[in-house]
Amino acid sequence: MFVKRFAEAKPYEAPNHWGVVGLRLQGFEPGGPTNQWLGLSQFLPGGGAGPDATPVEKVYFILDGEMTVIVDGVETVLKKFDSCTIPAGEIRKIENRTNGIVTMLVVIPYPPGVKP
């Protein structure tokens, strides 16, 4: 078992994101997961990401707040405990359109060719 305390989580900057603080909870360290990494993103009001796509799928899980996800012009509001899968290559944009902070877990496989 590999335990990582929240106090040990390191911030990271995700490209094409604004108004967000990301913390790497698990992944990219010796003894950690070998097939994916787990991040915690905290989006300020007006914060968001995209539009862009990644070469691997990802899962968003909303812990608190409401996040608007836009794919092909269709807007979906994810609320507390809602989740979605974004397939590899799918262009998406996400926006916090509320006055509260959105806290979101992000699960992403390691990119092809990347070994932890």
Side-chain angles (χ1 to χ4, degrees), residues 7-115:
E8 299 168 349
K10 302 290 185 214
Y12 69 92
E13 288 193 35
N16 202 22
H17 285 57
W18 63 93
V20 62
V21 173
L23 294 173
R24 184 164 289 119
L25 300 179
Q26 288 272 342
F28 295 99
E29 69 258 305
T34 59
N35 59 349
Q36 81 274 324
W37 64 277
L38 179 66
L40 179 76
S41 297
Q42 299 170 83
F43 289 88
L44 295 174
D52 59 12
T54 58
V56 294
E57 72 179 9
K58 61 186 123 195
V59 174
Y60 296 150
F61 181 87
I62 306 302
L63 292 169
D64 201 23
E66 295 183 6
M67 181 64 78
T68 301
V69 182
I70 305 137
V71 175
D72 293 330
V74 177
E75 298 185 2
T76 302
V77 177
L78 299 178
K79 298 181 179 186
K80 187 174 184 174
F81 302 141
D82 290 344
S83 62
C84 71
T85 300
I86 305 292
E90 183 169 84
I91 297 172
R92 63 82 184 106
K93 185 174 185 181
I94 58 176
E95 298 177 345
N96 178 2
R97 296 179 176 171
T98 73
N99 288 333
I101 295 172
V102 175
T103 305
M104 179 170 72
L105 280 176
V106 182
V107 181
I108 304 177
Y110 294 120
V114 172
K115 297 288 182 188

